[in-house]
Amino acid sequence: MSILVVEDDHIVQRIIKKTLERNGYDVLLSDSVKEAVNLMKTNSTIELIISDIMMPEADGFDLLRIRQSFKKFRRIPILMCTSLGDKDPVAKSLSFDANDYLIKPFKAEMLMGMVKKLLDKAWTTILIVDDDKGIIDSLDTMLSDSYNIVSAGTGEDALDLIQEQAVDLILLDIEN
């Protein structure tokens, strides 16, 4: 399990990294949204994202929009961090489906409390195995708001998938 930290301030980035590593977490670092998205696409072990709101080029709101547009990213909780004093960025990040927020500067205990809370709520991953794409799509539509859904069209594909990704439940069609 990895935590992705998206922060353009390298001092804050190092502080968060040290805190997380002291508590047993693997940490991936990114100083831009573009780099973060590339890491998300290539690393299936990311269980949480901690992101700064205000960054040059693309900001934390852009990352929230990107997470919503890619189904496989929706399950990853995002903790937004800001040093801004007013409540507008916080309210805006929550309206974009951020899971929670933290105001900088923060104490290590506060960060770890938020991390543990969000990881405890981590979504269950359900693997749907069916040769009927319509069934997969229907189940996906019904379940994707509450669960991370992955699918396979054959048993062989399902076996390959579970070698790459942990799943908590398998819904399996047993009839051809």
Side-chain angles (χ1 to χ4, degrees):
M1 171 178 27
S2 301
I3 297 176
L4 173 59
V5 177
V6 187
E7 171 65 63
D8 62 321
D9 182 327
H10 291 259
I11 294 169
V12 174
Q13 201 183 66
R14 281 195 307 266
I15 291 168
I16 293 173
K17 182 179 192 250
K18 275 185 155 181
T19 301
L20 293 170
E21 286 179 341
R22 262 187 271 138
N23 285 276
Y25 295 101
D26 292 325
V27 179
L28 300 170
L29 298 176
S30 171
D31 55 11
S32 72
V33 169
K34 182 179 180 180
E35 182 182 13
V37 171
N38 287 334
L39 285 168
M40 291 163 63
K41 287 179 178 177
T42 59
N43 191 318
S44 64
T45 66
I46 297 171
E47 293 293 323
L48 174 67
I49 299 169
I50 300 172
S51 178
D52 188 14
I53 292 178
M54 303 308 256
M55 292 180 281
E57 296 177 34
D59 60 20
F61 303 121
D62 294 317
L63 182 59
L64 288 166
R65 279 188 214 90
I66 291 166
R67 179 186 70 163
Q68 285 307 106
S69 66
F70 287 93
K71 190 171 105 177
K72 79 179 218 176
F73 299 157
R74 282 186 219 148
R75 70 169 185 81
I76 304 172
I78 298 184
L79 174 62
M80 302 301 287
C81 298
T82 185
S83 57
L84 300 175
D86 70 344
K87 296 182 182 188
D88 289 339
V90 169
K92 186 175 178 183
S93 67
L94 294 174
S95 75
F96 278 101
D97 289 330
N99 297 86
D100 218 328
Y101 66 92
L102 203 53
I103 304 292
K104 295 186 270 186
F106 47 80
K107 295 187 181 286
E109 298 82 23
M110 184 168 240
L111 171 65
M112 291 314 304
M114 297 293 263
V115 165
K116 288 176 183 174
K117 179 180 105 173
L118 289 172
L119 289 175
D120 284 347
K121 291 182 177 180
W123 292 17
T124 299
T125 298
I126 299 174
L127 169 59
I128 301 169
V129 184
D130 201 307
D131 59 341
D132 185 333
K133 179 97 170 89
I135 299 288
I136 290 174
D137 291 343
S138 294
L139 288 169
D140 187 345
T141 300
M142 288 188 293
L143 299 170
S144 63
D145 286 342
S146 300
Y147 302 99
N148 177 39
I149 305 299
V150 292
S151 63
T154 67
E156 285 180 6
D157 291 343
L159 290 172
D160 290 341
L161 195 141
I162 61 176
Q163 295 298 318
E164 298 172 15
Q165 179 177 352
V167 297
D168 301 297
L169 176 68
I170 299 175
L171 297 178
L172 176 65
D173 177 23
I174 58 171
E175 190 176 304
N176 285 333

PDB file of all heavy atoms in Angstrom, residues 135-154:
ATOM      1  N   ILE A 135     -24.095  -7.351 -18.416  1.00  0.00           N
ATOM      2  CA  ILE A 135     -24.182  -7.695 -16.990  1.00  0.00           C
ATOM      3  C   ILE A 135     -23.114  -6.941 -16.213  1.00  0.00           C
ATOM      4  O   ILE A 135     -23.386  -6.355 -15.151  1.00  0.00           O
ATOM      5  CB  ILE A 135     -24.024  -9.223 -16.772  1.00  0.00           C
ATOM      6  CG1 ILE A 135     -25.130 -10.000 -17.482  1.00  0.00           C
ATOM      7  CG2 ILE A 135     -23.936  -9.557 -15.294  1.00  0.00           C
ATOM      8  CD1 ILE A 135     -26.487  -9.890 -16.849  1.00  0.00           C
ATOM      9  N   ILE A 136     -21.888  -6.939 -16.728  1.00  0.00           N
ATOM     10  CA  ILE A 136     -20.794  -6.220 -16.062  1.00  0.00           C
ATOM     11  C   ILE A 136     -21.145  -4.744 -15.936  1.00  0.00           C
ATOM     12  O   ILE A 136     -21.005  -4.148 -14.862  1.00  0.00           O
ATOM     13  CB  ILE A 136     -19.458  -6.408 -16.827  1.00  0.00           C
ATOM     14  CG1 ILE A 136     -18.977  -7.851 -16.683  1.00  0.00           C
ATOM     15  CG2 ILE A 136     -18.399  -5.431 -16.321  1.00  0.00           C
ATOM     16  CD1 ILE A 136     -17.748  -8.178 -17.515  1.00  0.00           C
ATOM     17  N   ASP A 137     -21.613  -4.145 -17.024  1.00  0.00           N
ATOM     18  CA  ASP A 137     -21.963  -2.722 -17.000  1.00  0.00           C
ATOM     19  C   ASP A 137     -23.084  -2.427 -16.008  1.00  0.00           C
ATOM     20  O   ASP A 137     -23.038  -1.429 -15.283  1.00  0.00           O
ATOM     21  CB  ASP A 137     -22.355  -2.237 -18.393  1.00  0.00           C
ATOM     22  CG  ASP A 137     -21.169  -2.201 -19.354  1.00  0.00           C
ATOM     23  OD1 ASP A 137     -20.009  -2.241 -18.881  1.00  0.00           O
ATOM     24  OD2 ASP A 137     -21.412  -2.133 -20.575  1.00  0.00           O
ATOM     25  N   SER A 138     -24.102  -3.293 -15.952  1.00  0.00           N
ATOM     26  CA  SER A 138     -25.218  -3.097 -15.019  1.00  0.00           C
ATOM     27  C   SER A 138     -24.752  -3.179 -13.569  1.00  0.00           C
ATOM     28  O   SER A 138     -25.101  -2.328 -12.739  1.00  0.00           O
ATOM     29  CB  SER A 138     -26.311  -4.143 -15.256  1.00  0.00           C
ATOM     30  OG  SER A 138     -26.900  -3.974 -16.511  1.00  0.00           O
ATOM     31  N   LEU A 139     -23.966  -4.197 -13.265  1.00  0.00           N
ATOM     32  CA  LEU A 139     -23.450  -4.338 -11.898  1.00  0.00           C
ATOM     33  C   LEU A 139     -22.519  -3.186 -11.541  1.00  0.00           C
ATOM     34  O   LEU A 139     -22.559  -2.663 -10.421  1.00  0.00           O
ATOM     35  CB  LEU A 139     -22.735  -5.675 -11.732  1.00  0.00           C
ATOM     36  CG  LEU A 139     -23.639  -6.904 -11.695  1.00  0.00           C
ATOM     37  CD1 LEU A 139     -22.806  -8.184 -11.809  1.00  0.00           C
ATOM     38  CD2 LEU A 139     -24.485  -6.920 -10.436  1.00  0.00           C
ATOM     39  N   ASP A 140     -21.710  -2.778 -12.499  1.00  0.00           N
ATOM     40  CA  ASP A 140     -20.806  -1.651 -12.281  1.00  0.00           C
ATOM     41  C   ASP A 140     -21.602  -0.390 -11.937  1.00  0.00           C
ATOM     42  O   ASP A 140     -21.290   0.322 -10.982  1.00  0.00           O
ATOM     43  CB  ASP A 140     -19.948  -1.433 -13.523  1.00  0.00           C
ATOM     44  CG  ASP A 140     -18.858  -0.398 -13.328  1.00  0.00           C
ATOM     45  OD1 ASP A 140     -18.890   0.365 -12.353  1.00  0.00           O
ATOM     46  OD2 ASP A 140     -17.940  -0.354 -14.157  1.00  0.00           O
ATOM     47  N   THR A 141     -22.648  -0.119 -12.704  1.00  0.00           N
ATOM     48  CA  THR A 141     -23.483   1.057 -12.453  1.00  0.00           C
ATOM     49  C   THR A 141     -24.107   1.007 -11.054  1.00  0.00           C
ATOM     50  O   THR A 141     -24.128   2.010 -10.343  1.00  0.00           O
ATOM     51  CB  THR A 141     -24.588   1.159 -13.529  1.00  0.00           C
ATOM     52  OG1 THR A 141     -23.971   1.280 -14.811  1.00  0.00           O
ATOM     53  CG2 THR A 141     -25.497   2.345 -13.275  1.00  0.00           C
ATOM     54  N   MET A 142     -24.573  -0.152 -10.656  1.00  0.00           N
ATOM     55  CA  MET A 142     -25.217  -0.284  -9.341  1.00  0.00           C
ATOM     56  C   MET A 142     -24.232  -0.167  -8.188  1.00  0.00           C
ATOM     57  O   MET A 142     -24.580   0.342  -7.130  1.00  0.00           O
ATOM     58  CB  MET A 142     -25.940  -1.637  -9.237  1.00  0.00           C
ATOM     59  CG  MET A 142     -27.192  -1.727 -10.081  1.00  0.00           C
ATOM     60  SD  MET A 142     -28.121  -3.239  -9.757  1.00  0.00           S
ATOM     61  CE  MET A 142     -27.034  -4.496 -10.383  1.00  0.00           C
ATOM     62  N   LEU A 143     -23.009  -0.641  -8.373  1.00  0.00           N
ATOM     63  CA  LEU A 143     -22.085  -0.778  -7.252  1.00  0.00           C
ATOM     64  C   LEU A 143     -20.969   0.259  -7.196  1.00  0.00           C
ATOM     65  O   LEU A 143     -20.351   0.440  -6.145  1.00  0.00           O
ATOM     66  CB  LEU A 143     -21.452  -2.176  -7.285  1.00  0.00           C
ATOM     67  CG  LEU A 143     -22.414  -3.355  -7.167  1.00  0.00           C
ATOM     68  CD1 LEU A 143     -21.692  -4.664  -7.462  1.00  0.00           C
ATOM     69  CD2 LEU A 143     -23.052  -3.375  -5.791  1.00  0.00           C
ATOM     70  N   SER A 144     -20.681   0.953  -8.287  1.00  0.00           N
ATOM     71  CA  SER A 144     -19.470   1.777  -8.349  1.00  0.00           C
ATOM     72  C   SER A 144     -19.477   3.004  -7.445  1.00  0.00           C
ATOM     73  O   SER A 144     -18.415   3.544  -7.152  1.00  0.00           O
ATOM     74  CB  SER A 144     -19.165   2.197  -9.788  1.00  0.00           C
ATOM     75  OG  SER A 144     -20.192   3.005 -10.294  1.00  0.00           O
ATOM     76  N   ASP A 145     -20.638   3.446  -6.981  1.00  0.00           N
ATOM     77  CA  ASP A 145     -20.648   4.572  -6.042  1.00  0.00           C
ATOM     78  C   ASP A 145     -20.143   4.167  -4.667  1.00  0.00           C
ATOM     79  O   ASP A 145     -19.657   5.006  -3.912  1.00  0.00           O
ATOM     80  CB  ASP A 145     -22.050   5.175  -5.914  1.00  0.00           C
ATOM     81  CG  ASP A 145     -22.439   5.984  -7.126  1.00  0.00           C
ATOM     82  OD1 ASP A 145     -21.542   6.373  -7.896  1.00  0.00           O
ATOM     83  OD2 ASP A 145     -23.645   6.226  -7.303  1.00  0.00           O
ATOM     84  N   SER A 146     -20.261   2.903  -4.329  1.00  0.00           N
ATOM     85  CA  SER A 146     -19.867   2.447  -2.999  1.00  0.00           C
ATOM     86  C   SER A 146     -18.648   1.537  -2.994  1.00  0.00           C
ATOM     87  O   SER A 146     -18.053   1.323  -1.942  1.00  0.00           O
ATOM     88  CB  SER A 146     -21.027   1.687  -2.347  1.00  0.00           C
ATOM     89  OG  SER A 146     -22.152   2.514  -2.233  1.00  0.00           O
ATOM     90  N   TYR A 147     -18.299   0.987  -4.154  1.00  0.00           N
ATOM     91  CA  TYR A 147     -17.204   0.030  -4.205  1.00  0.00           C
ATOM     92  C   TYR A 147     -16.315   0.300  -5.410  1.00  0.00           C
ATOM     93  O   TYR A 147     -16.762   0.850  -6.408  1.00  0.00           O
ATOM     94  CB  TYR A 147     -17.752  -1.407  -4.320  1.00  0.00           C
ATOM     95  CG  TYR A 147     -18.671  -1.776  -3.192  1.00  0.00           C
ATOM     96  CD1 TYR A 147     -20.056  -1.718  -3.353  1.00  0.00           C
ATOM     97  CD2 TYR A 147     -18.158  -2.171  -1.965  1.00  0.00           C
ATOM     98  CE1 TYR A 147     -20.895  -2.042  -2.307  1.00  0.00           C
ATOM     99  CE2 TYR A 147     -18.998  -2.494  -0.911  1.00  0.00           C
ATOM    100  CZ  TYR A 147     -20.366  -2.433  -1.087  1.00  0.00           C
ATOM    101  OH  TYR A 147     -21.195  -2.741  -0.051  1.00  0.00           O
ATOM    102  N   ASN A 148     -15.077  -0.132  -5.301  1.00  0.00           N
ATOM    103  CA  ASN A 148     -14.167  -0.098  -6.433  1.00  0.00           C
ATOM    104  C   ASN A 148     -14.461  -1.350  -7.261  1.00  0.00           C
ATOM    105  O   ASN A 148     -14.384  -2.460  -6.749  1.00  0.00           O
ATOM    106  CB  ASN A 148     -12.715  -0.099  -5.946  1.00  0.00           C
ATOM    107  CG  ASN A 148     -11.740  -0.138  -7.087  1.00  0.00           C
ATOM    108  OD1 ASN A 148     -11.948   0.491  -8.106  1.00  0.00           O
ATOM    109  ND2 ASN A 148     -10.673  -0.878  -6.914  1.00  0.00           N
ATOM    110  N   ILE A 149     -14.807  -1.177  -8.516  1.00  0.00           N
ATOM    111  CA  ILE A 149     -15.197  -2.294  -9.368  1.00  0.00           C
ATOM    112  C   ILE A 149     -14.118  -2.541 -10.412  1.00  0.00           C
ATOM    113  O   ILE A 149     -13.656  -1.620 -11.084  1.00  0.00           O
ATOM    114  CB  ILE A 149     -16.542  -2.007 -10.089  1.00  0.00           C
ATOM    115  CG1 ILE A 149     -17.643  -1.665  -9.086  1.00  0.00           C
ATOM    116  CG2 ILE A 149     -16.919  -3.170 -10.994  1.00  0.00           C
ATOM    117  CD1 ILE A 149     -17.954  -2.764  -8.106  1.00  0.00           C
ATOM    118  N   VAL A 150     -13.720  -3.803 -10.524  1.00  0.00           N
ATOM    119  CA  VAL A 150     -12.860  -4.248 -11.610  1.00  0.00           C
ATOM    120  C   VAL A 150     -13.586  -5.406 -12.279  1.00  0.00           C
ATOM    121  O   VAL A 150     -14.444  -6.049 -11.662  1.00  0.00           O
ATOM    122  CB  VAL A 150     -11.451  -4.654 -11.126  1.00  0.00           C
ATOM    123  CG1 VAL A 150     -10.684  -3.451 -10.628  1.00  0.00           C
ATOM    124  CG2 VAL A 150     -11.505  -5.720 -10.059  1.00  0.00           C
ATOM    125  N   SER A 151     -13.264  -5.670 -13.537  1.00  0.00           N
ATOM    126  CA  SER A 151     -14.012  -6.716 -14.230  1.00  0.00           C
ATOM    127  C   SER A 151     -13.109  -7.518 -15.145  1.00  0.00           C
ATOM    128  O   SER A 151     -12.037  -7.068 -15.548  1.00  0.00           O
ATOM    129  CB  SER A 151     -15.170  -6.108 -15.032  1.00  0.00           C
ATOM    130  OG  SER A 151     -14.672  -5.245 -16.026  1.00  0.00           O
ATOM    131  N   ALA A 152     -13.595  -8.699 -15.449  1.00  0.00           N
ATOM    132  CA  ALA A 152     -12.906  -9.592 -16.381  1.00  0.00           C
ATOM    133  C   ALA A 152     -13.967 -10.352 -17.166  1.00  0.00           C
ATOM    134  O   ALA A 152     -15.021 -10.698 -16.631  1.00  0.00           O
ATOM    135  CB  ALA A 152     -12.005 -10.560 -15.616  1.00  0.00           C
ATOM    136  N   GLY A 153     -13.668 -10.621 -18.439  1.00  0.00           N
ATOM    137  CA  GLY A 153     -14.605 -11.326 -19.296  1.00  0.00           C
ATOM    138  C   GLY A 153     -14.461 -12.835 -19.256  1.00  0.00           C
ATOM    139  O   GLY A 153     -15.366 -13.554 -19.660  1.00  0.00           O
ATOM    140  N   THR A 154     -13.319 -13.309 -18.748  1.00  0.00           N
ATOM    141  CA  THR A 154     -13.094 -14.753 -18.667  1.00  0.00           C
ATOM    142  C   THR A 154     -12.432 -15.095 -17.334  1.00  0.00           C
ATOM    143  O   THR A 154     -11.865 -14.225 -16.665  1.00  0.00           O
ATOM    144  CB  THR A 154     -12.147 -15.244 -19.791  1.00  0.00           C
ATOM    145  OG1 THR A 154     -10.837 -14.705 -19.555  1.00  0.00           O
ATOM    146  CG2 THR A 154     -12.649 -14.839 -21.176  1.00  0.00           C
TER     147      THR A 154
END
